[in-house]
Amino acid sequence: MKDLQNEVDTYISQFKEGYFSPLAMLARLTEELGELAREVNHYYGEKPKKSSETEKAIEEELGDVLFVLICFANALNIDLEEAHDYVMAKFNTRDKNRWTRIETDKME
């Protein structure tokens, strides 16, 4: 994750404008999430694409979401790896018995 954050920072750092404000970044993230939702709806929902709409892959939209999320984190000096570790610790403690686990066969 650190490599991804550094790569995005290197890219953004070449422009005078730099990172957008947090509010603008949130708007961009919402925009990209909407595009992802549209693609998921086309593939898995009841709304097929119009013949005039261009083909976009869910992977492309997820990539856009990831890029903006990394920009958002970088702009706020948030280490996404640390954020991930924090969330996983939370799930592994608070929510450890929340979901039905897949049972594995015991070897005899």
Side-chain angles (χ1 to χ4, degrees):
M1 189 55 70
K2 289 182 191 315
D3 290 343
L4 293 176
Q5 284 192 256
N6 287 333
E7 182 180 5
V8 170
D9 193 59
T10 298
Y11 174 77
I12 295 294
S13 295
Q14 67 183 322
F15 304 108
K16 289 180 182 179
E17 294 81 2
Y19 291 107
F20 295 156
S21 70
L23 203 53
M25 204 75 73
L26 183 59
R28 282 207 56 214
L29 187 59
T30 303
E31 227 176 81
E32 296 298 346
L33 193 57
E35 291 176 17
L36 174 61
R38 184 175 178 85
E39 288 305 308
V40 169
N41 195 24
H42 288 318
Y43 282 101
Y44 302 105
E46 289 71 40
K47 185 180 178 189
K49 282 189 179 242
K50 297 176 190 171
S51 58
S52 61
E53 290 182 293
T54 60
E55 189 65 31
K56 282 190 177 178
I58 290 174
E59 303 92 64
E60 180 183 342
E61 297 305 336
L62 280 170
D64 289 345
V65 168
L66 180 60
F67 178 79
V68 176
L69 184 64
I70 291 171
C71 286
F72 204 169
N74 285 355
L76 297 174
N77 295 313
I78 293 172
D79 183 321
L80 283 172
E81 195 167 328
E82 287 178 14
H84 167 78
D85 292 346
Y86 171 79
V87 168
M88 289 309 298
K90 182 173 61 174
F91 285 128
N92 286 319
T93 55
R94 182 193 71 192
D95 294 338
K96 69 180 178 181
N97 296 316
R98 186 174 188 181
W99 309 107
T100 307
R101 294 196 181 266
I102 298 172
E103 305 236 355
T104 57
D105 293 333
K106 293 185 181 181
M107 302 282 290
E108 293 185 34

